[in-house]
């Protein structure tokens, strides 16, 4: 059986076209792309008239049907060699972006917003999936899990025989991308499942607002909010994603409540959440996405309901290298780094024996910097190139990649010093 190459096609928002005819044009266009590699985007086309209807063609991941754990390794080792399309089953997905963004829910008269909503695929979530880099196949596993859950639901698999709640729990230290991957997963599924549902909605629950202002009424407020969600789910032709960030706020361990270390009102909140999750499980068109920084504080009855519990660790050196490489290439693209030479290009994979060489190329220098970045959160890594430019370049443009790498190395040391100072203050 052939492995699958996934291709996503972003359409022009104001144009209508017959998809079967457009798919033929896209398949013809793919044969003209050189080189064709995973995780690449194409906005200029050879096929005449294609740009009138298509904004971009995204060559996405290779789905290894035999060994999902080796997908990331297979893609990394593919290098820049063009894929032979005849050896893959190509799946093409067409979509348009909604530009409304996340907006506060206004269905109640309460002054405090308890959830935000948007239509998917959404322009605000565009590019998040591609920007997230992990050394483990986290994205691939989550995508396969979610698609399987929805497939079971569409086929009405009896949950009394095979238990599945379509509930994901991502946990780990702050700044590792848990919330981002939830939003990116919802966006990706809204593209991949476009033929199964008429529309997609994303709901982000503000759990802190449920507990702070009306604390004594928290349980009833949770019930009221879930009733609103139930009303949305009644439209069976939609797929709804519910994000509960820092879910420990709503699912405090009840043994802590009974021992007196948590407010007694918390037990009513936990009971309300668990009851409502069980009630909503009968709807086949909902996926719950939850995150937590402190899983030990979560009631075990909630964690038991999660189909998949995944630890998201801070990125390690190869993932860090990929993050920094993308950031520097973006600065070159927008001409904030100028005079980049051909030999300044970065390899897809660095030479792990770089420190053994006397003269290092740009790839090896960046890999050494990446090793020094281990311990920094993904959130910090995404801004470290900005810190390097603002503190150590201090000019509108940086003259050459080498100069920027020197600045980046200084920025990493600066950031670690600042983080150590914050730790001492605590």
């Amino acid at each position: 059986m052939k492995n699958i190459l996934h291709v996503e096609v972003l359409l022009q928002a104001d144009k209508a076209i017959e998809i079967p005819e457009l798919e033929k044009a896209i398949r013809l266009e793919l044969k003209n792309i050189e080189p064709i590699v995973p995780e690449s985007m194409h906005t200029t086309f050879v096929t005449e008239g294609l740009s009138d209807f298509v904004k971009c063609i995204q060559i996405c991941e290779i789905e290894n049907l035999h060994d999902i754990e080796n997908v990331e390794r297979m893609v990394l080792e593919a290098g820049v060699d063009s894929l032979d399309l005849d050896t893959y089953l190509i799946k093409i997905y067409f979509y348009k972006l909604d530009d409304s963004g996340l907006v506060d829910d206004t269905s109640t008269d309460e002054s405090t917003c308890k959830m935000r909503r948007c239509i998917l695929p959404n322009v605000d979530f565009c590019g998040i999936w591609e920007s997230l880099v992990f050394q483990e196949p986290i994205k691939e596993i989550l995508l396969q899990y979610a698609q399987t859950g929805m497939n079971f639901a569409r086929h009405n698999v009896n949950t009394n025989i095979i238990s599945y709640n379509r509930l994901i729990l991502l946990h780990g230290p702050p700044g590792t991308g848990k919330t981002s991957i939830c939003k990116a997963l919802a966006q990706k599924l809204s593209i991949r499942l476009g033929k199964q549902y008429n529309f997609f909605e994303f709901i982000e629950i503000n759990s802190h607002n449920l507990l702070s202002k009306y604390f004594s009424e928290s349980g009833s407020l949770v019930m009221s909010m879930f009733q609103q969600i139930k009303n949305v789910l009644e439209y069976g032709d939609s797929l709804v994603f519910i994000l509960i960030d820092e879910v420990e706020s709503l699912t405090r361990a009840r043994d802590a409540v009974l021992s007196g270390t948590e407010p007694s009102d918390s037990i009513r909140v936990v009971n309300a959440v668990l009851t409502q999750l069980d009630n909503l499980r009968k709807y086949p068109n909902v996926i719950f996405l939850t995150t937590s920084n402190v899983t030990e504080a979560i009631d075990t009855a909630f964690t038991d309901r999660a189909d998949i519990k995944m630890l998201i660790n801070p990125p390690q050196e190869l993932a860090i290298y990929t993050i920094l490489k993308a950031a520097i290439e973006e600065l070159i693209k927008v001409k904030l780094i100028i005079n980049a030479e051909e030999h300044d290009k970065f390899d897809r994979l660095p030479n792990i024996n770089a420190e053994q060489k006397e003269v290092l190329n740009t790839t090896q220098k960046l890999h050494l910097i990446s090793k020094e970045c281990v311990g920094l959160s993904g959130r910090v890594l995404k801004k470290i190139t900005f810190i390097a430019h603002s503190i150590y370049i201090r000019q509108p443009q940086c003259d050459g990649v080498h100069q920027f790498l020197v600045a980046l190395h200084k920025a990493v040391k600066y950031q670690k010093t600042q983080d150590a100072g914050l730790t001492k203050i605590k």
Side-chain angles (χ1 to χ4, degrees):
M1 185 180 294
K2 291 182 178 180
N3 289 328
I4 298 172
L5 177 63
H6 296 276
V7 177
E8 296 173 359
V9 179
L10 175 59
L11 302 175
Q12 300 283 2
D14 56 346
K15 295 292 181 65
I17 189 174
E18 292 293 329
I19 293 300
E21 291 300 317
L22 182 57
E23 182 167 339
K24 292 179 184 178
I26 295 297
R27 291 185 181 275
L28 179 63
E29 181 67 25
L30 290 174
K31 295 180 180 179
N32 294 316
I33 296 176
E34 286 290 341
I36 185 165
V37 295
E39 306 298 340
S40 60
M41 182 180 295
H42 304 272
T43 56
T44 57
F45 316 115
V46 174
T47 305
E48 185 178 356
L50 194 60
S51 59
D52 293 338
F53 302 97
V54 174
K55 281 189 175 182
C56 75
I57 298 175
Q58 178 84 36
I59 312 299
C60 299
E61 81 280 6
I62 297 170
E63 182 180 337
N64 185 340
L65 298 177
H66 307 288
D67 188 0
I68 191 171
E69 292 187 357
N70 285 328
V71 169
E72 189 72 13
R73 175 189 56 77
M74 181 176 66
V75 171
L76 285 174
E77 292 180 354
V80 296
D81 295 334
S82 186
L83 299 176
D84 181 1
L85 295 182
D86 292 333
T87 63
Y88 295 92
L89 174 63
I90 301 174
K91 287 192 175 182
I92 301 176
Y93 311 89
F94 297 93
Y95 69 101
K96 294 182 180 181
L97 289 174
D98 185 274
D99 61 0
S100 59
L102 275 168
V103 296
D104 293 347
D105 182 79
T106 57
S107 59
T108 66
D109 295 329
E110 303 291 346
S111 59
T112 304
C113 173
K114 298 172 186 61
M115 59 185 184
R116 298 193 299 162
R117 304 165 67 170
C118 72
I119 301 298
L120 296 176
N122 199 281
V123 66
D124 283 0
F125 294 2
C126 194
I128 300 178
W129 182 269
E130 292 76 20
S131 71
L132 294 168
V133 180
F134 306 98
Q135 281 180 222
E136 303 82 13
I138 289 172
K139 295 192 292 187
E140 292 78 10
I141 291 172
L142 288 175
L143 185 58
Q144 286 297 327
Y145 155 76
Q147 289 177 317
T148 301
M150 299 315 301
N151 188 34
F152 273 45
R154 286 195 302 275
H155 285 83
N156 297 315
V157 174
N158 191 330
T159 56
N160 294 319
I161 299 174
I162 300 177
S163 178
Y164 62 101
N165 296 314
R166 300 184 302 282
L167 192 158
I168 296 171
L169 172 61
L170 304 182
H171 60 99
T176 51
K178 299 183 295 297
T179 302
S180 294
I181 197 171
C182 286
K183 293 178 178 179
L185 179 62
Q187 177 93 336
K188 183 66 68 173
L189 288 168
S190 70
I191 296 171
R192 297 291 171 89
L193 301 178
K195 293 182 179 179
Q196 279 80 43
Y197 302 91
N198 284 337
F199 74 96
F200 301 83
E201 184 164 2
F202 181 86
I203 298 176
E204 181 179 30
I205 293 176
N206 192 331
S207 54
H208 293 290
N209 281 352
L210 282 172
L211 299 176
S212 57
K213 188 173 182 180
Y214 303 103
F215 191 79
S216 62
E217 301 174 13
S218 299
S220 61
L221 287 173
V222 169
M223 298 281 284
S224 174
M225 181 195 63
F226 273 99
Q227 180 59 48
Q228 289 179 254
I229 294 173
K230 180 180 177 181
N231 294 338
V232 175
L233 295 176
E234 295 290 349
Y235 298 97
D237 59 349
S238 66
L239 177 56
V240 181
F241 302 91
I242 313 294
L243 171 62
I244 310 177
D245 221 355
E246 299 182 23
V247 71
E248 64 271 12
S249 300
L250 297 179
T251 56
R252 292 287 183 186
R254 284 172 289 186
D255 55 359
V257 177
L258 295 175
S259 66
T261 59
E262 290 287 345
S264 59
D265 193 57
S266 296
I267 199 167
R268 289 192 289 272
V269 173
V270 177
N271 289 338
V273 170
L274 296 177
T275 299
Q276 293 306 309
L277 286 175
D278 290 340
N279 288 339
L280 295 182
R281 187 174 68 164
K282 67 181 181 181
Y283 292 94
N285 58 329
V286 61
I287 295 180
F288 284 93
L289 309 166
T290 66
T291 72
S292 175
N293 298 330
V294 282
T295 49
E296 61 272 15
I298 302 177
D299 195 277
T300 54
F302 177 83
T303 56
D304 286 347
R305 282 167 168 78
D307 298 325
I308 184 168
K309 298 176 276 286
M310 185 169 286
L311 173 64
I312 310 296
N313 282 311
Q316 298 304 303
E317 58 187 71
L318 288 182
I320 294 170
Y321 172 86
T322 305
I323 292 170
L324 298 179
K325 169 181 173 289
I328 294 173
E329 288 175 343
E330 174 67 12
L331 294 178
I332 294 173
K333 175 184 174 183
V334 299
K335 295 182 171 53
L336 288 179
I337 296 177
I338 58 174
N339 298 326
E341 304 292 339
E342 183 66 26
H343 60 265
D344 288 332
K345 289 185 177 180
F346 298 96
D347 296 334
R348 189 174 181 87
L349 280 175
N351 182 351
I352 60 174
N353 297 316
E355 53 267 50
Q356 298 176 5
K357 298 179 179 291
E358 292 184 6
V359 180
L360 305 181
N361 61 29
T362 52
T363 293
Q364 293 160 344
K365 290 175 183 177
L366 184 61
H367 180 233
L368 289 177
I369 294 173
S370 301
K371 292 176 70 173
E372 290 197 34
C373 287
V374 173
L376 297 178
S377 72
R379 187 178 294 135
V380 170
L381 289 169
K382 288 292 180 68
K383 65 178 72 171
I384 198 70
T385 48
F386 173 81
I387 294 172
H389 202 289
S390 62
I391 298 179
Y392 299 106
I393 300 299
R394 299 185 183 182
Q395 297 291 330
Q397 295 173 308
C398 176
D399 188 9
V401 172
H402 174 74
Q403 181 184 354
F404 190 81
L405 288 176
V406 172
L408 182 60
H409 193 199
K410 293 178 180 178
V412 172
K413 292 182 176 180
Y414 168 83
Q415 184 64 44
K416 288 204 163 187
T417 300
Q418 295 299 309
D419 290 348
L422 286 174
T423 303
K424 289 179 181 179
I425 292 173
K426 292 178 182 178

